[in-house]
């Protein structure tokens, strides 16, 4: 996955599940593989979900 890709969040924040986010930053591990991602909501609404989620693991997101 790369910056700008749309993803669904599947992680531990239950209120954020099912909302679309876009990747804003990619962090790599020691071996150069993608490990963490910073996400930003595509349609932000502070009353229902977080606008940004930082340091999300790869297994906690799914490409749209």
């Amino acid at each position: 996955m790369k910056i700008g890709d749309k993803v669904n969040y599947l992680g531990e924040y239950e209120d954020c599940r099912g909302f679309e986010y876009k990747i804003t930053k990619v962090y790599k591990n020691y071996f150069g593989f993608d490990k963490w991602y910073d996400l930003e909501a595509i349609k932000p609404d502070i009353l229902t979900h977080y606008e940004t989620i930082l340091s999300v693991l790869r297994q906690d997101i799914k490409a749209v």
Side-chain angles (χ1 to χ4, degrees), residues 32-52:
F33 298 109
D34 296 354
K35 177 77 175 181
W36 302 278
Y37 303 89
D38 286 352
L39 306 177
E40 183 178 295
I42 293 177
K43 296 178 184 175
D45 184 358
I46 194 70
L47 299 176
T48 59
H49 60 283
Y50 296 130
E51 294 180 7
T52 58

Side-chain angles (χ1 to χ4, degrees), residues 16-62:
C16 298
R17 292 182 189 159
F19 291 100
E20 286 189 358
Y21 287 84
K22 69 178 177 179
I23 297 173
T24 57
K25 188 162 185 171
V26 177
Y27 300 94
K28 299 191 182 283
N29 65 9
Y30 180 76
F31 301 106
F33 298 109
D34 296 354
K35 177 77 175 181
W36 302 278
Y37 303 89
D38 286 352
L39 306 177
E40 183 178 295
I42 293 177
K43 296 178 184 175
D45 184 358
I46 194 70
L47 299 176
T48 59
H49 60 283
Y50 296 130
E51 294 180 7
T52 58
I53 306 175
L54 306 176
S55 300
V56 175
L57 292 171
R58 185 176 180 93
Q59 67 255 19
D60 290 339
I61 57 176
K62 180 180 178 184

